[in-house]
Amino acid sequence: MMQAVVITEPGGPEVLQVQERTIPFLGKDEVLITVHAAGVNRPDVFQRRGNYPAPVGTVADIPGLEVAGVVVAVGEDCRSFEAGDRVMALVAGGGYAQYVAVDCGSCIRIPDNLSFTEAAGMPETLFTVWHNVFERGRLTRGERFLVHGGAGGIGSTAIQLAHLFAAEVFTTVGGTDKVTFVRSLGASHIVNYKESDFEESWNSGSMDVILDSIGGTYFEKNINLLAEEGRLVVINAMQGAKVELNLIKMMQKRIHLTGSTLRNRSLEFKKQLADAISQNVLPLIETGAYKTPIAEVFSYKDARYAHELMESRAFSGKIILAF
């Protein structure tokens, strides 16, 4: 048996309770990980509220999309890892638990210079940013890149990677304290959206790639800011999913509009993405050029307080649960 943080019913942070559950069954293509730390992400909050159900076949009442720990058992068809390996992994759910079974292809070895706490904050954001910014958005050296919400997990990852790959980085944040934080990560142009309108501030910005998780009124502003052949990549719609698009403006600028979700993608897709991250990003982690900025670490027994902090937005970086 194991301890797990369970969503007892849809609702506020108080519905998260620690319960005893059976250790997951190990599939032939999977590894069983004893979890040392798990990342807390906004989709976990949506799932807790009842607005983001887990994919079919995934445990429905234990949230958690990323973990770091040690392999304790290996399925018969898994050749990539063995017991004792330190790994970080992207999971479709069930990460808030002492053990998790995950497909081998969704795991990445943890470099020796990385703690479990740091590693636990990487998979969800690295998989999301690499695919959406560098694969779908095709960001290249010297281009102008804008990411909204730069102080959060996705934002802080996107800023670092875009900066490390020599893009000019723009971002929006919701507080003066966050301005210093995102600048330290590599953002050169920063707008506090509580004080200024980012479209007015960067009216001549001509962005090449924009990563947006807000939607709503941000959509038209993003379209206006894009350069010719600009790419808008949408990964969430926190302000609203229904927007209006001026098709003439899209045609005149030859804008590329795309978006994606990660959780329900195939295991083969996630394996290919893990391989790309291992090749392109892992060397940056090993040298210390890329790091996980940690906002706060909570015991898994205090998961409700981690969710309260997530919902407050009064933090910069990643929130982690320790087991």
Side-chain angles (χ1 to χ4, degrees):
M1 301 297 288
M2 67 176 184
Q3 297 286 300
V5 178
V6 176
I7 303 171
T8 56
E9 61 179 332
E14 70 280 357
V15 306
L16 296 175
Q17 297 181 12
V18 176
Q19 295 183 359
E20 196 170 73
R21 288 293 179 89
T22 303
I23 294 174
F25 172 79
L26 179 64
K28 62 181 182 179
D29 295 310
E30 296 180 327
V31 294
L32 182 66
I33 301 170
T34 178
V35 176
H36 287 245
V40 177
N41 295 279
R42 200 160 298 279
D44 303 342
V45 173
F46 300 150
Q47 181 174 344
R48 190 204 71 223
R49 293 173 181 169
N51 301 325
Y52 190 48
V56 176
T58 303
V59 59
D61 58 355
I62 302 176
L65 301 175
E66 57 185 352
V67 300
V70 177
V71 174
V72 292
V74 179
E76 58 184 273
D77 289 347
C78 178
R79 301 287 183 266
S80 306
F81 300 95
E82 58 185 25
D85 286 343
R86 300 169 73 242
V87 296
M88 49 183 164
L90 182 75
V91 295
Y96 290 12
Q98 289 179 321
Y99 291 89
V100 65
V102 57
D103 186 81
C104 288
S106 296
C107 297
I108 297 174
R109 294 184 189 278
I110 299 176
D112 293 338
N113 63 325
L114 214 60
S115 69
F116 289 119
T117 299
E118 293 170 310
M122 289 188 174
E124 171 69 9
T125 55
L126 286 179
F127 277 64
T128 299
V129 170
W130 186 260
H131 177 58
N132 287 287
V133 176
F134 294 93
E135 294 183 347
R136 302 191 77 84
R138 307 188 310 279
L139 182 67
T140 59
R141 182 183 186 90
E143 289 193 313
R144 291 186 167 192
F145 169 68
L146 166 61
V147 57
H148 293 294
I154 295 293
S156 59
T157 297
I159 289 171
Q160 287 189 83
L161 290 183
H163 175 68
L164 289 168
F165 282 89
E168 184 178 359
V169 183
F170 296 67
T171 192
T172 59
V173 294
T176 53
D177 57 322
K178 296 180 180 180
V179 171
T180 301
F181 173 72
V182 297
R183 183 174 288 118
S184 71
L185 299 178
S188 302
H189 310 274
I190 306 158
V191 163
N192 180 349
Y193 62 78
K194 294 182 178 179
E195 298 178 350
S196 305
D197 183 279
F198 68 89
E199 182 187 2
E200 294 178 359
S201 299
W202 298 322
N203 190 39
S204 60
S206 298
M207 306 299 170
D208 296 294
V209 180
I210 299 177
L211 181 66
D212 183 39
S213 60
I214 309 300
T217 60
Y218 276 44
F219 181 80
E220 184 178 8
K221 295 175 184 289
N222 290 332
I223 294 294
N224 292 340
L225 281 176
L226 281 170
E228 293 182 355
E229 302 290 350
R231 288 85 76 193
L232 173 59
V233 187
V234 181
I235 57 172
N236 203 344
M238 294 173 61
Q239 195 186 87
K242 294 184 178 181
V243 297
E244 290 188 2
L245 172 62
N246 185 327
L247 294 175
I248 300 299
K249 187 173 294 184
M250 182 189 73
M251 291 185 291
Q252 289 174 336
K253 289 187 173 185
R254 302 179 300 282
I255 286 172
H256 302 255
L257 175 61
T258 185
S260 73
T261 59
L262 179 61
R263 193 176 191 183
N264 62 351
R265 297 299 297 269
S266 69
L267 293 176
E268 179 57 31
F269 169 82
K270 293 175 182 177
K271 179 184 184 304
Q272 292 174 1
L273 199 47
D275 290 343
I277 291 167
S278 295
Q279 179 180 346
N280 294 284
V281 182
L282 208 57
L284 299 173
I285 297 173
E286 292 170 339
T287 62
Y290 175 88
K291 297 180 179 180
T292 303
I294 303 296
E296 193 161 346
V297 180
F298 294 85
S299 165
Y300 72 94
K301 298 178 181 178
D302 295 323
R304 62 169 295 180
Y305 301 116
H307 274 226
E308 287 177 357
L309 179 59
M310 173 64 75
E311 290 182 294
S312 76
R313 301 189 183 182
F315 67 96
S316 297
K318 292 286 295 192
I319 301 171
I320 306 295
L321 297 181
F323 286 81

